[in-house]
Amino acid sequence: MAPSAVSMVFTVENAKSALEKGQKPPDGHSFDEALELAGFGRVQIVLSILAGLGMMASINEAMGMSIILPASQCDLDLDAGEKGIVGGAVFLGTMFSSYFWGYLADTKGRQLILKYALFATSFFGAISCFATGFVSLLVLRFLTGVCVAAPASTVYAYLGEFTTPSRRSQMLSFASVWGGVGIVYVSLVGWWILSYDWVVVISDSFEFKPWRLLFIVNTLPAFLNGIAFCFCPESPKFLVSQGRNEEALEILRKVYKINKGADTAEGYEVTALRLDPEDAIAREQNGDGSVGLFRSMVQQTLPIVKLPYLVYFVICCVHNIGAFAIYGGLGLWFPEIMNQVFSQQDTHEDRKVCMILQRNETLPVVTELEICDDEVKIETFLYTLLLGVIGCIYALITSAILGRVDQKVMMVFNCIVAGVSGIALQFIANSYAVAILFCLEIVFAGYCVLLVNANVVAIFPTNVRAMAVALTNMIGRLSCFVASAVIGLLILQNCPVTFYMLSGLLFLCAGLTFLLPKK
């Protein structure tokens, strides 16, 4: 699952001057002023880890299937098309439920939604182990995707509303690194559990095997994260927007005590919070219930489909289609492809990846009993692990240099590296070089998602920014589901054309980047 970016705007009116002079505003402190006085410390560090675990939970549910599917294909009798659809079901569920969770988080609270959504994710993730065929597994994975959509995005808002403005971008970027940690996690536990060959016979038609246990182990971080959020406070920013200023102030006092290591909050000079203009507007718009919500959505959407923003919106949608198709679609098939490549390493020397994948032309005729092979090679886990490690390292590097390098330059660089890697795959026969090129293509395309969201935030005005981010990501997730469902079939039909098509889409994205406005 690709990294998410959430647009959040925090109003600061003469905060610096007021804080520097030590004066108390006559009508109370703004939220950002109060947050600055609460300080930065252990609270923000712990919450960044919890937010990262929330992102890790979403990655586990998406990428975990890429290891489970090759191991379960014989027991569930899944063909390539069915595996692609099941693997993309999480993305489809996420796409359908994003607006729903966003509305609930804005009206009921971030902490409440995170807690229950994580528990629901772990529930549907765990009972997926009882699937007996394509339909039951598809339904359970779709429901898992519906639930995991909440922690995939709401954790960023929750963390951002606890973090001081000077450290906000840094902490959000750090939380994104845990997406790579999630890939490392599913690789290691998959390697460990699938190394066993035990079978627990429950009935004549159902056997519990190691691949079924993987569903439970992969969703364990979501369950633990849900427990952790039970002990976390509600976002004080949300409480202020709801007019619950005293509750927000009490939470900020606790943040002050923990960060300062003080026994009491006597040194915390904030005694009253004033309503920021954006919260006042939001409260006024939401005063009429569903009518206010519908009117607000229309007002946010109309400017996006008018010039000049319509052009930029289309370009950003194309960017996300290319990035999500490769990061999510091809990423889902990565362990399966690596399993095929390394399965043929001993019997076919110097065979290019497409010759191996197009099995109907390259593999010798085998008996019917030998057709279904659910063994997952050790190299598959090693290179899925490498994918996660490269993702973590590149996330840290990108976070460090993004402030010094123009986002458009980074976008073009990522698209070109990913596209060249995809084309080079057609000419490389060495299995290890193929694995490295796949990792580069998926990782660099994946971070195009983050860069696209950064561009959307910079291009679109504040009043339509969140809607623009949501719509571009929704279209991206739709392409992710379509890609995960059809890439397997396309590769088996015409592997070279498939990779050239994906690389060409990336080059198109690189060219369209120059049409975006200067920031």
Side-chain angles (χ1 to χ4, degrees), residues 487-513:
I487 277 181
L489 295 175
L490 291 176
I491 286 177
L492 295 180
Q493 293 298 321
N494 199 321
C495 180
V497 171
T498 303
F499 283 109
Y500 282 126
M501 179 178 64
L502 293 174
S503 297
L505 184 57
L506 286 171
F507 291 137
L508 173 63
C509 293
L512 290 175
T513 302

mmCIF file of all heavy atoms in Angstrom, residues 487-513:
data_model
loop_
_atom_site.group_PDB
_atom_site.id
_atom_site.type_symbol
_atom_site.label_atom_id
_atom_site.label_comp_id
_atom_site.label_asym_id
_atom_site.label_seq_id
_atom_site.Cartn_x
_atom_site.Cartn_y
_atom_site.Cartn_z
ATOM 1 N N ILE A 487 -2.823 -7.393 -14.032
ATOM 2 C CA ILE A 487 -1.402 -7.474 -14.385
ATOM 3 C C ILE A 487 -0.952 -8.919 -14.542
ATOM 4 O O ILE A 487 -0.191 -9.255 -15.446
ATOM 5 C CB ILE A 487 -0.537 -6.737 -13.333
ATOM 6 C CG1 ILE A 487 -0.519 -5.240 -13.650
ATOM 7 C CG2 ILE A 487 0.899 -7.257 -13.324
ATOM 8 C CD1 ILE A 487 0.307 -4.406 -12.703
ATOM 9 N N GLY A 488 -1.418 -9.799 -13.627
ATOM 10 C CA GLY A 488 -1.030 -11.198 -13.736
ATOM 11 C C GLY A 488 -1.426 -11.800 -15.083
ATOM 12 O O GLY A 488 -0.641 -12.492 -15.722
ATOM 13 N N LEU A 489 -2.659 -11.507 -15.527
ATOM 14 C CA LEU A 489 -3.115 -12.030 -16.813
ATOM 15 C C LEU A 489 -2.353 -11.405 -17.972
ATOM 16 O O LEU A 489 -1.984 -12.086 -18.934
ATOM 17 C CB LEU A 489 -4.620 -11.767 -16.966
ATOM 18 C CG LEU A 489 -5.534 -12.492 -15.964
ATOM 19 C CD1 LEU A 489 -6.971 -12.044 -16.147
ATOM 20 C CD2 LEU A 489 -5.409 -13.998 -16.128
ATOM 21 N N LEU A 490 -2.091 -10.101 -17.901
ATOM 22 C CA LEU A 490 -1.372 -9.421 -18.975
ATOM 23 C C LEU A 490 0.054 -9.941 -19.111
ATOM 24 O O LEU A 490 0.566 -10.118 -20.223
ATOM 25 C CB LEU A 490 -1.348 -7.908 -18.723
ATOM 26 C CG LEU A 490 -2.694 -7.178 -18.860
ATOM 27 C CD1 LEU A 490 -2.529 -5.718 -18.477
ATOM 28 C CD2 LEU A 490 -3.236 -7.313 -20.271
ATOM 29 N N ILE A 491 0.708 -10.187 -17.962
ATOM 30 C CA ILE A 491 2.080 -10.691 -18.010
ATOM 31 C C ILE A 491 2.128 -12.064 -18.661
ATOM 32 O O ILE A 491 3.004 -12.351 -19.478
ATOM 33 C CB ILE A 491 2.674 -10.738 -16.589
ATOM 34 C CG1 ILE A 491 2.995 -9.319 -16.108
ATOM 35 C CG2 ILE A 491 3.938 -11.592 -16.539
ATOM 36 C CD1 ILE A 491 3.522 -9.251 -14.693
ATOM 37 N N LEU A 492 1.174 -12.923 -18.316
ATOM 38 C CA LEU A 492 1.163 -14.262 -18.899
ATOM 39 C C LEU A 492 0.834 -14.233 -20.379
ATOM 40 O O LEU A 492 1.272 -15.091 -21.138
ATOM 41 C CB LEU A 492 0.150 -15.142 -18.153
ATOM 42 C CG LEU A 492 0.482 -15.435 -16.679
ATOM 43 C CD1 LEU A 492 -0.596 -16.309 -16.067
ATOM 44 C CD2 LEU A 492 1.840 -16.094 -16.551
ATOM 45 N N GLN A 493 0.064 -13.245 -20.824
ATOM 46 C CA GLN A 493 -0.296 -13.156 -22.241
ATOM 47 C C GLN A 493 0.818 -12.522 -23.060
ATOM 48 O O GLN A 493 1.186 -13.032 -24.116
ATOM 49 C CB GLN A 493 -1.590 -12.336 -22.400
ATOM 50 C CG GLN A 493 -2.820 -13.005 -21.813
ATOM 51 C CD GLN A 493 -3.147 -14.320 -22.492
ATOM 52 O OE1 GLN A 493 -3.025 -14.455 -23.711
ATOM 53 N NE2 GLN A 493 -3.546 -15.305 -21.698
ATOM 54 N N ASN A 494 1.331 -11.395 -22.590
ATOM 55 C CA ASN A 494 2.404 -10.711 -23.335
ATOM 56 C C ASN A 494 3.234 -9.899 -22.349
ATOM 57 O O ASN A 494 2.973 -8.719 -22.113
ATOM 58 C CB ASN A 494 1.811 -9.803 -24.419
ATOM 59 C CG ASN A 494 2.850 -9.460 -25.481
ATOM 60 O OD1 ASN A 494 4.018 -9.237 -25.157
ATOM 61 N ND2 ASN A 494 2.428 -9.404 -26.735
ATOM 62 N N CYS A 495 4.221 -10.542 -21.769
ATOM 63 C CA CYS A 495 5.030 -9.935 -20.717
ATOM 64 C C CYS A 495 5.762 -8.675 -21.166
ATOM 65 O O CYS A 495 5.682 -7.641 -20.492
ATOM 66 C CB CYS A 495 6.019 -10.967 -20.178
ATOM 67 S SG CYS A 495 7.086 -10.366 -18.868
ATOM 68 N N PRO A 496 6.485 -8.674 -22.303
ATOM 69 C CA PRO A 496 7.222 -7.463 -22.695
ATOM 70 C C PRO A 496 6.313 -6.253 -22.886
ATOM 71 O O PRO A 496 6.633 -5.153 -22.433
ATOM 72 C CB PRO A 496 7.905 -7.872 -24.005
ATOM 73 C CG PRO A 496 8.007 -9.361 -23.944
ATOM 74 C CD PRO A 496 6.775 -9.798 -23.225
ATOM 75 N N VAL A 497 5.178 -6.459 -23.555
ATOM 76 C CA VAL A 497 4.268 -5.340 -23.793
ATOM 77 C C VAL A 497 3.754 -4.775 -22.474
ATOM 78 O O VAL A 497 3.611 -3.561 -22.313
ATOM 79 C CB VAL A 497 3.093 -5.792 -24.687
ATOM 80 C CG1 VAL A 497 2.019 -4.716 -24.756
ATOM 81 C CG2 VAL A 497 3.593 -6.113 -26.093
ATOM 82 N N THR A 498 3.503 -5.657 -21.495
ATOM 83 C CA THR A 498 3.009 -5.206 -20.193
ATOM 84 C C THR A 498 4.005 -4.277 -19.520
ATOM 85 O O THR A 498 3.651 -3.200 -19.031
ATOM 86 C CB THR A 498 2.742 -6.416 -19.278
ATOM 87 O OG1 THR A 498 1.815 -7.289 -19.924
ATOM 88 C CG2 THR A 498 2.168 -5.961 -17.949
ATOM 89 N N PHE A 499 5.281 -4.665 -19.498
ATOM 90 C CA PHE A 499 6.287 -3.838 -18.837
ATOM 91 C C PHE A 499 6.570 -2.561 -19.622
ATOM 92 O O PHE A 499 6.801 -1.503 -19.030
ATOM 93 C CB PHE A 499 7.578 -4.629 -18.648
ATOM 94 C CG PHE A 499 7.507 -5.604 -17.507
ATOM 95 C CD1 PHE A 499 7.451 -6.964 -17.734
ATOM 96 C CD2 PHE A 499 7.474 -5.154 -16.194
ATOM 97 C CE1 PHE A 499 7.383 -7.861 -16.691
ATOM 98 C CE2 PHE A 499 7.401 -6.041 -15.138
ATOM 99 C CZ PHE A 499 7.353 -7.410 -15.389
ATOM 100 N N TYR A 500 6.547 -2.635 -20.943
ATOM 101 C CA TYR A 500 6.719 -1.417 -21.738
ATOM 102 C C TYR A 500 5.555 -0.454 -21.518
ATOM 103 O O TYR A 500 5.737 0.766 -21.474
ATOM 104 C CB TYR A 500 6.838 -1.765 -23.227
ATOM 105 C CG TYR A 500 8.200 -2.294 -23.617
ATOM 106 C CD1 TYR A 500 8.330 -3.503 -24.287
ATOM 107 C CD2 TYR A 500 9.354 -1.573 -23.313
ATOM 108 C CE1 TYR A 500 9.571 -3.993 -24.643
ATOM 109 C CE2 TYR A 500 10.602 -2.055 -23.668
ATOM 110 C CZ TYR A 500 10.704 -3.264 -24.325
ATOM 111 O OH TYR A 500 11.952 -3.744 -24.669
ATOM 112 N N MET A 501 4.354 -1.013 -21.360
ATOM 113 C CA MET A 501 3.179 -0.183 -21.143
ATOM 114 C C MET A 501 3.271 0.534 -19.793
ATOM 115 O O MET A 501 3.008 1.741 -19.704
ATOM 116 C CB MET A 501 1.913 -1.048 -21.195
ATOM 117 C CG MET A 501 0.606 -0.286 -20.958
ATOM 118 S SD MET A 501 -0.830 -1.374 -21.087
ATOM 119 C CE MET A 501 -0.518 -2.483 -19.711
ATOM 120 N N LEU A 502 3.666 -0.178 -18.753
ATOM 121 C CA LEU A 502 3.815 0.433 -17.440
ATOM 122 C C LEU A 502 4.925 1.479 -17.428
ATOM 123 O O LEU A 502 4.779 2.559 -16.849
ATOM 124 C CB LEU A 502 4.103 -0.645 -16.387
ATOM 125 C CG LEU A 502 2.960 -1.635 -16.100
ATOM 126 C CD1 LEU A 502 3.420 -2.728 -15.153
ATOM 127 C CD2 LEU A 502 1.752 -0.913 -15.523
ATOM 128 N N SER A 503 6.037 1.175 -18.084
ATOM 129 C CA SER A 503 7.141 2.135 -18.143
ATOM 130 C C SER A 503 6.743 3.358 -18.952
ATOM 131 O O SER A 503 7.083 4.490 -18.591
ATOM 132 C CB SER A 503 8.381 1.467 -18.759
ATOM 133 O OG SER A 503 8.833 0.394 -17.956
ATOM 134 N N GLY A 504 6.012 3.142 -20.040
ATOM 135 C CA GLY A 504 5.551 4.276 -20.842
ATOM 136 C C GLY A 504 4.625 5.178 -20.058
ATOM 137 O O GLY A 504 4.658 6.406 -20.206
ATOM 138 N N LEU A 505 3.804 4.592 -19.191
ATOM 139 C CA LEU A 505 2.923 5.388 -18.341
ATOM 140 C C LEU A 505 3.735 6.263 -17.398
ATOM 141 O O LEU A 505 3.402 7.433 -17.166
ATOM 142 C CB LEU A 505 2.000 4.461 -17.550
ATOM 143 C CG LEU A 505 0.931 5.111 -16.661
ATOM 144 C CD1 LEU A 505 0.026 6.027 -17.477
ATOM 145 C CD2 LEU A 505 0.113 4.037 -15.951
ATOM 146 N N LEU A 506 4.843 5.738 -16.891
ATOM 147 C CA LEU A 506 5.707 6.522 -16.008
ATOM 148 C C LEU A 506 6.392 7.654 -16.761
ATOM 149 O O LEU A 506 6.517 8.771 -16.252
ATOM 150 C CB LEU A 506 6.760 5.609 -15.368
ATOM 151 C CG LEU A 506 6.247 4.679 -14.261
ATOM 152 C CD1 LEU A 506 7.318 3.680 -13.864
ATOM 153 C CD2 LEU A 506 5.807 5.479 -13.047
ATOM 154 N N PHE A 507 6.851 7.375 -17.983
ATOM 155 C CA PHE A 507 7.486 8.431 -18.777
ATOM 156 C C PHE A 507 6.480 9.531 -19.120
ATOM 157 O O PHE A 507 6.824 10.715 -19.179
ATOM 158 C CB PHE A 507 8.092 7.849 -20.052
ATOM 159 C CG PHE A 507 9.283 6.967 -19.799
ATOM 160 C CD1 PHE A 507 9.439 5.765 -20.467
ATOM 161 C CD2 PHE A 507 10.253 7.332 -18.875
ATOM 162 C CE1 PHE A 507 10.532 4.957 -20.239
ATOM 163 C CE2 PHE A 507 11.354 6.527 -18.634
ATOM 164 C CZ PHE A 507 11.494 5.328 -19.317
ATOM 165 N N LEU A 508 5.219 9.136 -19.383
ATOM 166 C CA LEU A 508 4.169 10.116 -19.618
ATOM 167 C C LEU A 508 3.986 11.004 -18.383
ATOM 168 O O LEU A 508 3.856 12.227 -18.504
ATOM 169 C CB LEU A 508 2.861 9.412 -19.957
ATOM 170 C CG LEU A 508 1.611 10.296 -20.066
ATOM 171 C CD1 LEU A 508 1.768 11.307 -21.202
ATOM 172 C CD2 LEU A 508 0.357 9.451 -20.269
ATOM 173 N N CYS A 509 4.002 10.380 -17.211
ATOM 174 C CA CYS A 509 3.883 11.146 -15.963
ATOM 175 C C CYS A 509 5.042 12.122 -15.807
ATOM 176 O O CYS A 509 4.857 13.271 -15.386
ATOM 177 C CB CYS A 509 3.833 10.199 -14.766
ATOM 178 S SG CYS A 509 2.352 9.172 -14.686
ATOM 179 N N ALA A 510 6.252 11.677 -16.154
ATOM 180 C CA ALA A 510 7.416 12.551 -16.048
ATOM 181 C C ALA A 510 7.268 13.765 -16.957
ATOM 182 O O ALA A 510 7.585 14.898 -16.575
ATOM 183 C CB ALA A 510 8.684 11.770 -16.403
ATOM 184 N N GLY A 511 6.753 13.541 -18.187
ATOM 185 C CA GLY A 511 6.563 14.661 -19.110
ATOM 186 C C GLY A 511 5.478 15.614 -18.659
ATOM 187 O O GLY A 511 5.636 16.837 -18.741
ATOM 188 N N LEU A 512 4.385 15.071 -18.136
ATOM 189 C CA LEU A 512 3.288 15.917 -17.686
ATOM 190 C C LEU A 512 3.661 16.754 -16.465
ATOM 191 O O LEU A 512 3.041 17.788 -16.207
ATOM 192 C CB LEU A 512 2.065 15.052 -17.345
ATOM 193 C CG LEU A 512 1.350 14.383 -18.523
ATOM 194 C CD1 LEU A 512 0.242 13.480 -18.022
ATOM 195 C CD2 LEU A 512 0.798 15.427 -19.490
ATOM 196 N N THR A 513 4.673 16.320 -15.730
ATOM 197 C CA THR A 513 5.095 17.060 -14.536
ATOM 198 C C THR A 513 5.489 18.490 -14.881
ATOM 199 O O THR A 513 5.259 19.425 -14.098
ATOM 200 C CB THR A 513 6.275 16.342 -13.857
ATOM 201 O OG1 THR A 513 5.875 15.009 -13.515
ATOM 202 C CG2 THR A 513 6.707 17.069 -12.591
#
